[in-house]
Amino acid sequence: MEELIEIQQGELSVGSLFQDAWSLTFKNFGRVLLVYLLAWAIPIALGTIPVLVASSITPPPPLGTSSGPNPIGVAFMFIFSTLGCAFIFPCWLRVCVGTASQVKFTLDDLPVGVPTILNVAGTILLCAMATCAGFFMFIIPGIYIAIRLLFAPFYAADRGIGPIESLRLSWQTTAGHWRVLLGLSLVFSIINWVAGWTVIGSLITGPVFGVFLALAYTRASALHELQCGEVG
């Protein structure tokens, strides 16, 4: 029971989360930053290639007229970008969780299998649908649902479980902590918005925010499992 109180009052405090996320990110900054950049570059690159190819094979419009975007190129841009996101995002989640858990890893550990990719994609889709449904009910329920499902993609990527189970565990894990998560998410959103005006700032706050969420996930999930053990 003492261990439970220590986790609840110490590791899940605002100051501890922020300080540890900052420290762990910069301790592994090279690898974290690399995967963070790949998480942006791969979908953009895969989405740009079809547009360039479609533009090169499409005959130019008549003189004095302008042509709109090539619908085939736009369709393939969406498909390729989505595939890129589906591949790299689980890798990014695993890097954040590994950094937060202080587990030594190499880039060879990053590739994930098709089941994990599908689990993460399905989880994100269900989270988006639930959040959108909440936003239709005067916005506030959508914010609440988004915070309660914040850890679902981490569960799917870290433990390889299905979308429904990931949502269920996230909902249980965030119970009692959603106010802290909401406040810190808003703070980091403001920081990211301000830092987004400079490239260097966004390259720092983006990785730190990812590790912060992973750190909150690892500690909250450990607390949840400990509480279930105490009850059992």
Side-chain angles (χ1 to χ4, degrees):
M1 189 65 182
E2 293 180 357
E3 183 182 1
L4 175 62
I5 296 175
E6 180 181 354
I7 293 176
Q8 191 169 18
Q9 295 182 347
E11 294 185 350
L12 280 175
S13 66
V14 174
S16 177
L17 283 172
F18 184 81
Q19 181 180 356
D20 291 346
W22 189 270
S23 174
L24 290 171
T25 300
F26 282 93
K27 188 181 296 184
N28 304 273
F29 191 67
R31 286 173 293 185
V32 175
L33 179 62
L34 175 60
V35 180
Y36 178 74
L37 292 175
L38 289 176
W40 282 98
I42 289 179
I44 292 175
L46 291 178
T48 303
I49 292 173
V51 175
L52 295 177
V53 173
S55 299
S56 64
I57 63 177
T58 302
L63 188 63
T65 62
S66 60
S67 61
N70 188 299
I72 297 178
V74 172
F76 277 98
M77 176 186 70
F78 176 77
I79 294 173
F80 277 59
S81 296
T82 303
L83 291 175
C85 289
F87 167 75
I88 195 61
F89 192 64
C91 298
W92 167 242
L93 292 176
R94 291 183 62 178
V95 166
C96 292
V97 172
T99 302
S101 304
Q102 302 187 55
V103 175
K104 292 185 177 180
F105 61 90
T106 64
L107 295 181
D108 295 333
D109 300 324
L110 292 184
V112 296
V114 174
T116 300
I117 292 175
L118 294 178
N119 284 336
V120 173
T123 300
I124 293 175
L125 179 61
L126 289 181
C127 288
M129 292 172 61
T131 302
C132 288
F135 272 110
F136 279 114
M137 296 183 289
F138 305 105
I139 300 179
I140 293 179
I143 297 175
Y144 177 75
I145 292 172
I147 294 298
R148 294 298 302 272
L149 300 180
L150 194 61
F151 295 150
F154 287 99
Y155 271 112
D158 181 37
R159 306 193 181 187
I161 56 181
I164 301 298
E165 182 68 8
S166 297
L167 267 65
R168 185 185 69 82
L169 287 174
S170 178
W171 193 270
Q172 294 178 350
T173 302
T174 54
H177 310 301
W178 70 271
R179 294 178 182 86
V180 174
L181 294 174
L182 173 61
L184 291 176
S185 296
L186 291 175
V187 170
F188 264 106
S189 297
I190 295 173
I191 293 175
N192 283 332
W193 180 80
V194 174
W197 292 95
T198 64
V199 176
I200 296 178
S202 60
L203 291 180
I204 295 176
T205 57
V208 171
F209 185 51
V211 175
F212 162 78
L213 289 179
L215 195 60
Y217 154 73
T218 55
R219 293 180 177 179
S221 60
L223 176 60
H224 172 66
E225 292 170 359
L226 194 58
Q227 287 174 328
C228 290
E230 291 287 342
V231 173

